[in-house]
Amino acid sequence: MMQKLKRYIFDHFESHFIFTILISVVLINFFVYSKIAFLNFYYLPIMLAGYYLGRRTAVLGAFFTILMVWVFVIADPENYYAHEEKFHMYFHLTVWAGFLMLTGWIIGGLKEKLAFTDKLREELAHEKELLDISNRRLNEYSSTLETKVSARTRELEQEQGTVESLKTRVEDILFSVIDSKVARLMIEGKLRNEKRQISVLFSDLKDFTQYSDRNPPEKVIHELNSYLGEMEDCITQFYGHIDKYIGDGIMVEFGAPVKYKNHSILAVLAALTMQERVEKTHPQWKMRVGIATGLAVVGLLGSKRKSYSCIGDTVNLASRLEELCELGEVYIDHNTYMIVQQFFHVSRVRSVSGKRETDKIIEAEIQSLQQLLNQNPNDLNMMYALGQAFFKKRAASAAMEVFEKIIKLDPDHIEAREGYQEAKKNRDEYEKIAIRGKSERVAIYRVTGIKDPLMDRNKIPRYVYDQYTPLFSNIQLPVELVHASEAVDGTLGHGKTVALLSYALAERLGLSHKEKEELLIAGYLHDLGKMIVPHELRGGHRPLSKTEQALFHKHPEESTRLIKQLGYDSQILLNYVKSHHEYFDGSGYPERLKGEQIPLGSRILSIANDFDTLTSRRKNQEGLNYQNAVRELQKKTKTGKYDPQCLAALIQLLNLQTAPPYQLASH
């Protein structure tokens, strides 16, 4: 009953409030004598209204009460100022009205703040309830989360393993039918159809057809795959692209699809390595190799089944050279010869039918005449006999050179003039060979091996060569790996030269036997790290940007890493290689070491490296002889680039007559 009454009062409080105000005003004004004293009574309903009904209702109630009181005051003023003056009564009523309004305003404001606080409390309670629910759910979920995560992780690992397995299978299948470089260029959209300068290699085995007819197919395929596997290693090591297998024959491009500038050198190195490998692993077979260099159209050939290949006159010439080649040899065309003659032993092929018996007699005659001419170089009759011998051997160019010398010594020598004209007339016929499909005769050359860079007397004096060359016969080095790296930037033989010079300088500077051996290996392998540098940035063909220089300057550290992979773990050797581009004045790289901070072996490597660079043919320019190279090194030593004692050791090694400006330090 009380709850209903309480709810009824609260639900109709505003009506009760108005009614109370009306009744109070009427009763006080009609029945209370001291009306001024009872004015304070009105604070009670206004305060209650402010608390329960809010600021607006309380202020309106106060205003309504004041209005009603003023109505009674105006209607019957004597009842209000009977005991005080009229002015004081009006002043009293005005002050009372102001405080009554202010009371309604303040109490109503407090109520609103309390209401806002209550609302916040309710919201917080609601949020707390939601948070408790979430915590309960989270606890329930976390109890099983680890199990779910483990299960999902296993599922993802299985899916990833399946994807990786599928990816590996696809790559294996793709790379088994397409060169990996071609596949990547196709995926990247960088494979173009174009006319490009390349070198093409053809190889073939003699009498393999008869071998396959005599043996079971299983044995034939096994032996053939073994042979092709060996050849693939040789070709890919020198960056060749295997175009196709033609039975036991192979067609290879160098300089495509990746545009290596020194593709001719790479092709000849690959050919010589292939011949060595066949002789070592399959001595029962003999191989022929032909190489031609020139323009060819390269690109993807085929409609549905595409393959990267090349066509053109260069391809046909390489194929013909392989057909004409003698067993176990490598034949090249004139374009290839002009590029590789600096690095390889090459001789002109006079006849494709093999060496004539009479050639042996003529060669003996030529050797005898040359020995006699060394004793008497101005004997015209002997010179004329030598020219005639060369002509009989069909070496027309050599004969022309001899006859030309005679004419310079004796302009009236009629026989020499006639011999010169005869040799000139027959030069193409004698020295060039007719090839099917070619309208003109072609010069053919035989490659017999790699030149020893230490035989270059512009670099290494004879006595230095004789003293230190035997060192290389007592040590095993990854020759093919170094050759592949050096061929890319056209510096074939650089490592061997630096190795010999470094060992010789170390001996003069008093290093121990162990340190000298480490320095010999370091000199041979010091540039292996250049393999991380893109081939188009190597060889100094153009200035490098700052980004490219930063990449290039990483190669000493990369050399160190590769040398460790090869099994060389001596810290002395690794330090020599890592710091071989540090300069004495601190301007080098990678750590900008200075003076004695640089290992002595690295200082030796630095000057040996730059000496070989100065004396080598680069960018179609002949290298300096070793005397002029030393002068250049002296200039740079004065500016602080090289260790003076290393330069002094080099001058002493080369036995130069000019007194060196630096003295050897004692060790």
Side-chain angles (χ1 to χ4, degrees), residues 294-459:
L295 287 173
V297 176
V298 296
L300 286 173
L301 303 181
S303 177
K304 294 182 179 179
R305 186 180 181 277
K306 296 180 180 294
S307 64
Y308 187 83
S309 187
C310 63
I311 55 175
D313 192 54
T314 301
V315 180
N316 298 332
L317 178 57
S319 177
R320 298 290 183 267
L321 290 175
E322 179 268 312
E323 292 173 359
L324 297 172
C325 184
E326 295 183 17
L327 296 177
E329 295 193 349
V330 177
Y331 279 9
I332 62 174
D333 71 332
H334 185 71
N335 289 342
T336 308
Y337 164 77
M338 293 302 295
I339 297 170
V340 306
Q341 60 175 319
Q342 174 187 353
F343 302 107
F344 299 93
H345 292 293
V346 183
S347 60
R348 179 73 71 91
V349 177
R350 311 290 177 186
S351 170
V352 295
S353 58
K355 186 176 289 188
R356 300 172 300 173
E357 289 297 324
T358 55
D359 285 348
K360 297 179 181 179
I361 300 172
I362 297 172
E363 284 178 0
E365 181 184 352
I366 289 172
Q367 291 178 1
S368 176
L369 288 170
Q370 286 175 333
Q371 290 175 359
L372 293 172
L373 275 172
N374 288 335
Q375 300 172 6
N376 190 5
N378 294 323
D379 189 327
L380 297 183
N381 292 330
M382 202 171 297
M383 290 176 68
Y384 180 75
L386 179 62
Q388 287 290 87
F390 275 127
F391 187 73
K392 289 178 185 178
K393 192 188 172 186
R394 304 174 73 88
S397 295
M400 289 172 63
E401 289 180 8
V402 175
F403 291 140
E404 194 170 12
K405 289 180 181 178
I406 297 173
I407 294 170
K408 287 181 179 179
L409 294 173
D410 182 6
D412 297 327
H413 200 294
I414 298 174
E415 292 84 355
R417 288 184 175 277
E418 291 176 350
Y420 181 86
Q421 293 299 326
E422 187 70 15
K424 184 178 180 180
K425 183 178 71 173
N426 291 282
R427 181 168 56 179
D428 283 354
E429 180 182 353
Y430 284 3
E431 296 188 346
K432 294 184 179 180
I433 297 170
I435 291 184
R436 178 165 48 89
K438 300 286 289 184
S439 59
E440 298 180 354
R441 287 176 171 266
V442 175
I444 301 177
Y445 301 84
R446 177 188 294 107
V447 182
T448 55
I450 302 173
K451 286 183 179 179
D452 187 348
L454 305 179
M455 291 294 292
D456 185 350
R457 294 296 161 253
N458 281 331
K459 294 184 181 184

Side-chain angles (χ1 to χ4, degrees), residues 627-663:
Q627 293 91 341
N628 289 329
V630 167
R631 292 191 184 97
E632 290 297 319
L633 295 175
Q634 284 178 318
K635 294 177 184 177
K636 293 181 180 180
T637 303
K638 289 178 181 178
T639 62
K641 187 172 183 179
Y642 305 113
D643 184 351
Q645 64 178 334
C646 294
L647 176 63
L650 178 63
I651 292 172
Q652 186 189 79
L653 172 69
L654 299 176
N655 197 23
L656 296 177
Q657 298 301 317
T658 304
Y662 307 104
Q663 298 298 321

Side-chain angles (χ1 to χ4, degrees), residues 82-95:
H83 302 288
E84 56 182 318
E85 295 180 1
K86 186 176 182 179
F87 173 78
H88 289 158
M89 184 269 295
Y90 284 124
F91 177 76
H92 193 160
L93 287 174
T94 302
V95 172

